[in-house]
Structure formats: C-alpha cells, structure tokens
Amino acid sequence: MKKKQMKLGVFLMGTGHHIASWRHPHVQADGCEDFAFFHKIAKIAEKGKLDMLFLSDGLSFNELSHPAELVRFEPITLLAALSVVTSHIGLAATATTTYNEPFHIARKFSSLDHLSKGRAAWNVVTSYYEDEAKNFSQDAHLDHHLRYERAKEFVEVVKGLWDSWEKDALVRDKQSGVYFDPKKLHPLNHKGKYFSVKGPLNSSRSPQGRPVLIQAGSSEDGVNFAAQIADVIFTAQQTLEEAQHFYRKVKKKAAEFGRNPDEVIIMPGVSPYIGNTEQEAREKYEQLQELIVPEIGLAFLSDYLGGIDLSRYSLDDPLPDEIPETNGNKSRRKLIIDLARRENLTIGELYKRIAGSRGHRIIFGTPEQIADQLEEWIIHEGADGFNLMFPYYPDGLSEFVDQVIPILQERGLFRKEYEGTTLREHLGLPEPESRYSPAPSQ
Amino acid sequence: MKKKQMKLGVFLMGTGHHIASWRHPHVQADGCEDFAFFHKIAKIAEKGKLDMLFLSDGLSFNELSHPAELVRFEPITLLAALSVVTSHIGLAATATTTYNEPFHIARKFSSLDHLSKGRAAWNVVTSYYEDEAKNFSQDAHLDHHLRYERAKEFVEVVKGLWDSWEKDALVRDKQSGVYFDPKKLHPLNHKGKYFSVKGPLNSSRSPQGRPVLIQAGSSEDGVNFAAQIADVIFTAQQTLEEAQHFYRKVKKKAAEFGRNPDEVIIMPGVSPYIGNTEQEAREKYEQLQELIVPEIGLAFLSDYLGGIDLSRYSLDDPLPDEIPETNGNKSRRKLIIDLARRENLTIGELYKRIAGSRGHRIIFGTPEQIADQLEEWIIHEGADGFNLMFPYYPDGLSEFVDQVIPILQERGLFRKEYEGTTLREHLGLPEPESRYSPAPSQ
C-alpha cells in the first residue's frame, strides 16, 4: 500500500525565519525587497517538488516586528511575478478579511489562479496588529469574535463570486458572435450583516474552480472557522502530543460540519536546522542566536505578548504571572506563555526561543534525523504535512531540498515528481462544485 | 536641436479595442485571460521601445460592455507578472479611489515599482459604472464632485505613504545589527474628511521615488484634478483643434498649480489602422465593422450614454435631442454626443464609431500617413504623445512597431533605444522629492 504522502509548504519570510537571519554571513541582507532573491528560492523549492510557497502579511508597520516584516513585497503582486518563473508549485498569499472587501479579494485570487494556471491559495486571516485599524480609518480592531463573524461572511461572499461563471460559460463563438452564455452566468445578490455584493465577478471560473483556502486560527473561534472553511490549516504545535490533540479536534470538527476530514490538511510550522551531525546543526542555531541584538529580541517578545512592558524585569527572571489579554492574536499569546511555563524558561531564554521561529517547533539533526522527526508526526497523526520555516534563505531551503527530500522520497513519504499541475492536485483535493452546477445524474 | 520626443503608450484591451476584435480571424478569442497572449504583446511593445503598457479597469460586470471588459485579469497582478518578462517598458494599472483604501493602493504600486525596478504607474480613476457601488456594500456612487474630493485626499495620502521611508533609511548593517535608521522613517498621521491613516508604509521608498501618476478625467472636476496631480494625462480628442484647446487649458492650469507644464504629459488616445494603401487600411476597419453584432453595438452605445433606452429609435434616426444626465462619466458622455452632432451621425453610424474606439480618434493610412498624423499633433501642440489603442492584438501592434516606429525614429521623433530603465526616465520626468528630504544646500 502506498504510504500517506507528506505535504510540504515553504513559508517565505524575507531573509529567513530567524530574527537575526539577515545578519548571517551567507545571507543577502536586503533580500526582502529583491525579486531575484525570491526567484532563486522559488526555483529551489520547485526543484524539491514542494507543494507551495506561502507568504504571510500584515497591513501596518511595527518597529518591534521581525525585520523581514518591516518592509516587504505585497504578497499577491510577488506571487503573480513568481507565477511566471515557476510551473508547478502552489502560490499562497495571506489577506485579511478585516481590512479588505470581498470583491477585490475574490478577483485578485481568481486573477492569480488564471495567471498561474491553477496554483493560487488564499490564507484567510482576521488581522493581528491593532495598528492595522489605524491605517484604515478605524480606531481599533473589531472585537475578536466579530472579526471571525465578518470573516465567515466574507469567505461566503468570495466563494459565491468565484462561482459567478460556470466552467463553460465563455463560449466565444466567432461564427455566431456569441461571447458568453447568459444562462451560465450567476449574479450573487448577497445581502448580509457586513456586506452587500451584487456580483457577478468580472473574472471567469478559475482553473482550480476555486483557489485553495488556508486558515491558521487556533483560538476557539479560529478552529471552528478553519474546520468549516479551510482546505489547509496551518498551526503552531510544539509537541507531538499537543499536535495529535489539535489534529483530532480539527478533523472531528470538520466531520461535524459535514466535511470529509481527509480534505482538511493540517500543516504545523517547523523550523529545521540541518547538519552533518546533530552537534553541527545545533551550532548553526547557536550561531544565529548569538547574532540577536538583545533589545530587539526582548522587544520582539513584548510584542508577541501584546505589547506588555518587560523592561522592569531582568533577563534571568521568569515570565511574570499576570500577562494582560489584548484584542490581538489569542492563540499565539497562549502558545508562548505555555512554552515558557512548560520549560521553565527565563525571559532571556524565552525571547531567544521566539526569535528563532516565533513559537513554532524547531528541529535539529542530520538529514536522517530531520526526516525521522517529520515522519514521526505524519505516522502518529500529528500532521498531514508541514509548513517549513527555514531559519535563513536560500541556504536552509537548499540543504533541505538536496539532503532531506531524497530521504523522504526514498521512504515513500514524498512525491518524486509532481503528478498534476494545480495546487489542488498536489494536495489531493477534489475540484470544488459550483453552487450552480446541476446535480450529477445518478 | 533635438526634436521633441513623442511618448507612446499601448492601451491593452484584451483582444483589441474594436468591439468585434475577438471575432477577427487572426485573433485568439480567449486572449483576455491568457497570460501567454499578454506576454507576446508585451515583448512586441518592448521591441518597439514604447513607453508603457496601460490597463484600464472596472469593478463590476456589465453585459453591455466591450467583450474585453467582461472577464479579465486584475491589472496589478497581470502587470506584476509582465514585469518579470520585460525589462524596460512602463507598467500602468488603473485603480479607483472610490472603492479602494489608500494604504492598499500605496502598497501595491510600491510593490509593483520594486518588482519592476521602477516601471510602475497608477492611473487614478473615480469609477464610472454605478454598479460598482453595489459590489462594495453601497447603493450608489458618491456624487461626481465628491468622488473627486475623495480622490484628491486619497492621492495625498498615497503620496504621503510613498514618502514614509527616506531613500537610505534601510541601513541593514550586519556588523552593528542596525536594520534601519528610525530618523529616516516618517509616520503619516493623516486625518482628513475621508481617511485617517497613521502610516508609515511597510514598503521602502520605491525605485522611482513615487510611481508615475496618470489621470484621465476630462470634466471640469477631472481636468482640475489631473492638472494638479497627474504626471501623464490621457484624453479622448477627435480633432487637432479640440486637442490644442485641451492641451493649452491643461498646461495653463498645471502652471497655475505651480507645476512645470513640461512635466505634465498629455497623451490622447488614438486607434490606428495601417495598410499598404489608405484603401487597404480602411478595408481592415470595414472588415471589423461588419463583425459587429447590431444588438451588441446598440447596447454598447446606450451604455456609453448612461444606460439610455434607444430601442424605440431606428438605426437611421439621429441621436435624440434630450439625453438625461447620470452620475457616471460626464466627459465620455459629452464626447459622444458632440461627435454625433458634429458629424450628423445616425444612431447606427454612431454605434459603429463607438464600437471601433469608444469615442477615441481613429486614423487610417500607410505607415507614412500614420506617422504624419501623429507628428502633426505633436508639432502643433495637440499632444505630447499618444495612448495607442490597437483595434486587434497582437497584429495591430506588430504592424505599428515594424512599420510606423522606424519612420518616427527616422524623423527623430521617437527614441531608437531606451535611454533609461525607469518609466520616469522614459517620460523625462524628474525624480520626485520626498516631503521629508532636507532642502538641498545652495
């Protein structure tokens, strides 16, 4: 029997996920805004037959952020450009439902899906940084729960717009002069709490039917939303046990929503350090840890905890007992607090852990050991795949593609060639039905 | 003395500007959503050393529209993709200020300018179709005058966001660990009638300093706005006399706003039909005219006049005396009514004129005659250049590049090689000062 196939995404983050990656001697410090830098990375990822490139996003500037988030390409424009120099790999961009309009989002992702011939994915987020509100004529975010309520309606509208045109609606018959068949065109006429959208979309049904939907919410609202709408779920899980718990919970919820749990792909983030020995892998990590400017590491931790002031504590103190709640990203905050408590980390140790992978799992080892650690989570149902967060680009990725991928292929856990050309095909997801398709005859 | 150089844009419109272009035997009927089709066109335009590719846009579906406007790529994603396969030609996309947010627009165009290394332009529009409102949770457009008021504030905010980072603000000094110089970073803190935007932008100052601004409003509000903010002005002018009047008016207004009139480039639209003889050129036009489906031609005219019902008139009737005003595009409506009155056109003749070029000037002739007609308007100050609206793609464009461009080059009216790499350089526009730049020392 064919083994379960692992799905692998590449989480792009400028020069790398490690907060000090840009200072690494092998790294191009200004890669974040250089197309050639991303072009190189995309080619390596496609050589490795990986499933997709993934870009996170934010709509504000925060000087405490990871340097790769300070200035960067807008994700959809960057992926549109990368669609031209790649032919198979999926292209996933983040866009928030809190500061966008569904018509724009439906159209841009449909456009990207047409450009890439079926490789687009939308990572649906509800916004983290409170400052985003202030760039969009608001004083503050909608409340966390309402952001998800808006997101749910937003996604419904977007899916409706993607269904505007049936697959064969554009006739373009030169002889008769008929350009489209009006019977196969469907306005939306949506009227809801947050949006009124007439439709139809001015973009035909895209090659994937609908672009792939990704979600990464891990709060209660987030998990409910993801289980309901997401084809792919990103998550941060530190231990196999936690990952299994999350995996079971989400698959169960998806089934409760009437979905096939196999069509909800769970991909925790993981940051691999690869060496000829485990020792060498750990030294690579230490080399980066030493490049962290302490003030920046501490500020980064404060920011992750919702802006809490840590300056009156020593780096050797534990995290204070009381961390006030904010209206930001609840699951990320909890993950970091749990990590500190579980491993008894001092503030100094904690910021160093966050600086490496922002709360995601870090693994070390030889290519064999890396493959073992990935395989373990797949076999024991902690994950269907991983969103790979390389500490620095492109070297971290090329080492993985050259050294780890062949082992995974050898073990029958990962494709040797792309079997299809669309992202849905790579992920084993069926083509979605249009809400207007006639029921298939029995 | 070097002659005044003509600026030439290519107005992309799917299969072509003629409403029946998709039925032409040489044309790929489904070109509108095929990247390879645009790729081919972009390469030809760049071979001709043309200044820029231009994409119009709309945010609604109207079945009476030009077929190339029914379904199409979203302009910024398409141009981002084209940036990869071109190296010099400018990339101009339309985006409305009525249904967008300044932060998104500033960022997307900055991203496109980074991707293309300085070739982005934004055509600022205030929306034409009333139906756009209904895709953005509104019942109707803002009033025409208020749309321009919003547009003015919108552009100010976008320029302010483009000035967020001084040119050398991103230090990225590996040695010291300093990523940026906070003294060279400027939040915006804009609070106005329509927008509150804190800033700064999460994109560094782009290669052109600011992307090029284009405007095409020709109403009183439109001309005022264009003269104040636009680097390039698109316009529809039928006769040299009208064009000269418009040219003088805009340059004068620009001077009144304290601008250098030479830095406001006026480019009327023109649709050229090229043949070995003038007769052959006119036959190419007639061939397309005969492909117009009458109902579609008539519907297209109704639509251009704001949705007026023409079905109770015969095709041989003149245009009725009373055409009700709408809240749509005032200058386009006026242009068409004026054309009908001036040339005493019947409704049938009028829709055929509109179907060819939507009210823009059509010229016929041998390559020499085409060159003459373009040169005449340049010499006599009716235009600084033209936005070329080829009746069908790519053939209309390749004929122009192969046959007309060499004549213009021979006459010293058009560049033989690109002299720079940015769109501003092609257009002879200076690099804009940031509002935060220190005054140059005397």
Side-chain angles (χ1 to χ4, degrees):
Chain A
M1 199 185 106
K2 195 176 171 187
K3 278 194 205 166
K4 181 173 156 189
Q5 296 294 293
M6 189 184 287
K7 306 303 172 192
L8 295 173
V10 181
F11 188 158
L12 302 176
M13 174 62 99
T15 52
H17 284 272
H18 195 285
I19 196 175
S21 57
W22 68 276
R23 297 184 71 190
H24 189 283
H26 291 183
V27 167
Q28 178 188 335
D30 65 355
C32 289
E33 289 186 304
D34 179 13
F35 177 70
F37 179 78
F38 287 96
H39 182 173
K40 200 185 311 170
I41 292 167
K43 297 305 283 182
I44 297 167
E46 197 161 67
K47 191 180 89 180
K49 319 294 175 198
L50 303 185
D51 289 87
M52 63 178 140
L53 302 172
F54 169 77
L55 284 167
S56 65
D57 198 34
L59 296 171
S60 62
F61 171 83
N62 184 332
E63 63 179 313
L64 310 181
S65 295
H66 190 299
E69 293 182 335
L70 298 177
V71 293
R72 49 175 158 175
F73 285 115
E74 186 280 325
I76 304 176
T77 43
L78 176 56
L79 294 181
L82 289 174
S83 77
V84 178
V85 294
T86 54
S87 58
H88 287 75
I89 198 161
L91 305 166
T94 296
T96 178
T97 54
T98 304
Y99 303 107
N100 272 303
E101 289 283 336
F103 193 90
H104 285 310
I105 293 297
R107 186 158 180 246
K108 281 173 205 298
F109 281 94
S110 181
S111 197
L112 182 62
D113 208 42
H114 278 287
L115 280 172
S116 64
K117 303 203 182 298
R119 298 186 280 135
W122 170 30
N123 179 41
V124 184
V125 300
T126 59
S127 286
Y128 169 63
Y129 285 115
E130 286 276 348
D131 259 4
E132 296 197 3
K134 301 195 177 70
N135 286 329
F136 293 89
S137 304
Q138 312 281 323
D139 289 327
H141 274 345
L142 270 179
D143 183 72
H144 189 266
H145 180 68
L146 297 181
R147 291 210 302 283
Y148 273 100
E149 186 182 76
R150 178 181 159 110
K152 211 177 132 187
E153 186 182 332
F154 193 116
V155 169
E156 275 315 300
V157 172
V158 168
K159 284 180 173 175
L161 290 170
W162 283 338
D163 284 350
S164 295
W165 297 84
E166 291 181 34
K167 218 171 169 177
D168 53 355
L170 274 302
V171 179
R172 299 185 178 113
D173 178 27
K174 285 191 180 185
Q175 197 50 45
S176 64
V178 173
Y179 196 80
F180 71 97
D181 178 353
K183 290 194 303 297
K184 295 184 172 173
L185 168 64
H186 307 280
L188 185 64
N189 293 318
H190 170 88
K191 282 194 195 301
K193 177 172 172 187
Y194 293 92
F195 307 104
S196 298
V197 180
K198 185 179 173 210
L201 194 63
N202 54 352
S203 178
S204 70
R205 192 164 185 81
S206 76
Q208 290 188 104
R210 294 176 189 162
V212 170
L213 291 181
I214 304 173
Q215 226 280 321
S218 295
S219 66
E220 209 51 39
D221 281 330
V223 170
N224 266 315
F225 181 51
Q228 203 168 347
I229 65 112
D231 300 306
V232 174
I233 296 179
F234 288 160
T235 177
Q237 302 293 336
Q238 284 284 340
T239 68
L240 176 56
E241 200 187 341
E242 284 168 355
Q244 289 169 323
H245 175 76
F246 180 81
Y247 188 95
R248 280 193 299 270
K249 181 168 82 174
V250 171
K251 298 268 177 172
K252 185 161 166 282
K253 269 198 198 287
E256 284 165 12
F257 285 118
R259 304 182 61 199
N260 176 351
D262 293 341
E263 293 170 10
V264 179
I265 296 168
I266 298 177
M267 298 173 71
V270 62
S271 190
Y273 287 78
I274 308 163
N276 290 316
T277 60
E278 189 183 327
Q279 180 57 26
E280 193 186 297
R282 289 191 184 273
E283 279 163 12
K284 285 186 180 174
Y285 178 66
E286 287 308 324
Q287 183 190 5
L288 281 164
Q289 293 291 80
E290 277 164 30
L291 292 172
I292 302 172
V293 179
E295 293 76 12
I296 294 178
L298 194 62
F300 189 56
L301 174 60
S302 299
D303 182 45
Y304 258 63
L305 292 171
I308 175 183
D309 179 16
L310 295 169
S311 60
R312 61 204 170 96
Y313 299 97
S314 132
L315 293 187
D316 298 325
D317 282 340
L319 205 59
D321 289 338
E322 294 292 323
I323 311 271
E325 279 234 30
T326 68
N327 188 19
N329 183 321
K330 291 189 195 300
S331 53
R332 187 146 72 165
R333 177 178 165 282
K334 179 170 181 306
L335 181 92
I336 290 164
I337 297 173
D338 287 353
L339 173 67
R341 309 277 186 244
R342 187 175 57 240
E343 304 193 15
N344 257 323
L345 302 177
T346 65
I347 289 175
E349 287 163 342
L350 184 59
Y351 86 64
K352 285 200 159 188
R353 286 291 288 277
I354 309 302
S357 66
R358 291 166 296 128
H360 284 270
R361 180 183 174 214
I362 303 178
I363 56 179
F364 305 91
T366 63
E368 287 285 345
Q369 288 172 321
I370 296 291
D372 292 345
Q373 292 173 82
L374 298 180
E375 181 172 3
E376 187 192 14
W377 281 37
I378 298 292
I379 291 178
H380 297 293
E381 300 204 323
D384 297 316
F386 301 94
N387 203 13
L388 299 164
M389 303 168 64
F390 295 102
Y392 51 100
Y393 285 97
D395 288 9
L397 170 64
S398 7
E399 289 165 9
F400 188 88
V401 164
D402 293 341
Q403 300 169 37
V404 181
I405 288 289
I407 298 170
L408 298 174
Q409 289 169 330
E410 202 48 48
R411 296 184 188 177
L413 289 163
F414 193 67
R415 69 175 69 83
K416 290 189 173 166
E417 289 301 334
Y418 288 110
E419 287 142 26
T421 58
T422 71
L423 177 56
R424 282 191 180 274
E425 286 168 338
H426 307 335
L427 297 175
L429 297 172
E431 192 182 320
E433 284 267 304
S434 163
R435 66 185 68 183
Y436 305 106
S437 297
S441 49
Q442 300 297 313
Chain B
M1 199 186 106
K2 196 177 172 187
K3 278 195 206 166
K4 183 174 155 186
Q5 296 294 292
M6 190 183 287
K7 305 304 173 193
L8 295 173
V10 181
F11 187 158
L12 302 176
M13 174 63 101
T15 53
H17 285 272
H18 195 285
I19 194 173
S21 56
W22 67 277
R23 297 185 70 191
H24 190 283
H26 291 182
V27 167
Q28 178 189 334
D30 65 353
C32 288
E33 290 186 305
D34 179 13
F35 177 69
F37 179 78
F38 286 96
H39 183 173
K40 200 186 310 171
I41 292 168
K43 297 305 283 183
I44 298 167
E46 196 161 69
K47 191 180 89 179
K49 319 292 175 200
L50 302 186
D51 290 87
M52 64 179 137
L53 302 172
F54 170 77
L55 285 166
S56 65
D57 197 35
L59 297 172
S60 62
F61 171 83
N62 183 333
E63 63 179 313
L64 309 181
S65 296
H66 191 299
E69 292 181 336
L70 297 178
V71 294
R72 51 175 157 176
F73 285 115
E74 186 279 324
I76 303 176
T77 43
L78 175 56
L79 293 181
L82 288 174
S83 77
V84 177
V85 294
T86 54
S87 58
H88 286 76
I89 199 161
L91 304 167
T94 296
T96 179
T97 54
T98 304
Y99 303 107
N100 272 303
E101 289 283 338
F103 193 89
H104 285 311
I105 292 297
R107 186 159 180 245
K108 282 172 205 300
F109 282 94
S110 182
S111 197
L112 182 61
D113 208 43
H114 278 288
L115 280 172
S116 63
K117 302 204 182 299
R119 298 186 281 136
W122 170 30
N123 179 39
V124 184
V125 301
T126 59
S127 286
Y128 170 61
Y129 286 114
E130 287 276 347
D131 260 3
E132 296 196 3
K134 301 194 177 69
N135 286 329
F136 293 89
S137 304
Q138 312 280 323
D139 290 326
H141 274 344
L142 269 180
D143 184 71
H144 190 266
H145 180 69
L146 297 181
R147 292 210 301 284
Y148 274 100
E149 187 181 75
R150 178 182 159 109
K152 211 176 130 187
E153 186 181 333
F154 194 116
V155 169
E156 275 313 301
V157 172
V158 168
K159 284 181 174 175
L161 289 170
W162 283 339
D163 284 349
S164 295
W165 296 84
E166 292 182 35
K167 219 170 169 176
D168 53 355
L170 275 304
V171 178
R172 298 183 178 116
D173 178 26
K174 286 190 180 184
Q175 196 51 44
S176 64
V178 173
Y179 197 79
F180 71 96
D181 178 353
K183 290 194 303 298
K184 295 184 173 174
L185 168 64
H186 307 279
L188 185 63
N189 293 318
H190 171 88
K191 283 194 195 300
K193 176 172 172 187
Y194 294 92
F195 307 104
S196 299
V197 180
K198 186 179 172 209
L201 195 62
N202 54 352
S203 177
S204 71
R205 190 162 186 82
S206 76
Q208 291 188 105
R210 295 176 187 161
V212 170
L213 290 180
I214 303 175
Q215 226 281 320
S218 294
S219 65
E220 209 51 38
D221 281 331
V223 169
N224 266 315
F225 181 52
Q228 205 169 347
I229 65 112
D231 300 306
V232 174
I233 295 178
F234 288 160
T235 177
Q237 303 293 336
Q238 284 284 340
T239 67
L240 176 57
E241 200 187 342
E242 284 168 354
Q244 287 169 323
H245 176 74
F246 181 81
Y247 188 95
R248 279 193 299 270
K249 183 168 83 173
V250 171
K251 298 268 178 173
K252 185 161 164 282
K253 269 197 199 288
E256 284 165 12
F257 285 118
R259 302 182 61 199
N260 176 351
D262 294 341
E263 293 171 9
V264 180
I265 296 169
I266 298 177
M267 298 174 71
V270 63
S271 190
Y273 287 78
I274 307 164
N276 291 315
T277 61
E278 190 181 328
Q279 182 55 27
E280 194 185 296
R282 288 191 184 272
E283 279 162 12
K284 285 186 178 173
Y285 178 65
E286 287 309 324
Q287 183 190 6
L288 281 164
Q289 293 292 81
E290 277 163 30
L291 293 172
I292 303 173
V293 179
E295 294 76 13
I296 293 178
L298 195 61
F300 189 56
L301 174 60
S302 298
D303 183 44
Y304 257 62
L305 292 170
I308 176 182
D309 179 15
L310 294 169
S311 60
R312 63 203 170 96
Y313 300 97
S314 133
L315 294 188
D316 299 325
D317 283 339
L319 204 60
D321 289 338
E322 294 292 322
I323 312 270
E325 279 232 32
T326 69
N327 187 20
N329 182 321
K330 290 188 194 300
S331 52
R332 184 145 75 165
R333 177 179 166 281
K334 179 171 183 304
L335 182 91
I336 290 164
I337 297 174
D338 287 353
L339 172 68
R341 309 278 186 244
R342 185 176 58 241
E343 304 192 16
N344 259 322
L345 302 177
T346 65
I347 289 175
E349 288 164 341
L350 185 59
Y351 86 63
K352 284 200 159 188
R353 287 290 290 275
I354 309 303
S357 66
R358 289 166 295 126
H360 283 270
R361 180 182 174 215
I362 303 178
I363 57 179
F364 305 91
T366 63
E368 287 284 345
Q369 287 171 322
I370 296 290
D372 292 345
Q373 292 172 83
L374 298 180
E375 181 172 5
E376 187 192 13
W377 281 36
I378 298 291
I379 289 177
H380 297 292
E381 300 204 324
D384 298 316
F386 301 94
N387 203 12
L388 298 164
M389 303 168 63
F390 295 101
Y392 51 102
Y393 285 97
D395 288 8
L397 169 64
S398 5
E399 290 165 7
F400 188 88
V401 163
D402 293 341
Q403 301 169 37
V404 180
I405 287 289
I407 297 170
L408 297 174
Q409 289 170 330
E410 202 48 49
R411 295 184 189 177
L413 288 162
F414 193 67
R415 68 175 69 84
K416 291 188 174 167
E417 290 300 335
Y418 288 111
E419 286 142 27
T421 58
T422 71
L423 178 55
R424 282 191 181 274
E425 285 168 338
H426 306 335
L427 297 175
L429 296 171
E431 192 183 320
E433 284 266 306
S434 162
R435 67 185 66 183
Y436 305 107
S437 298
S441 47
Q442 300 296 316

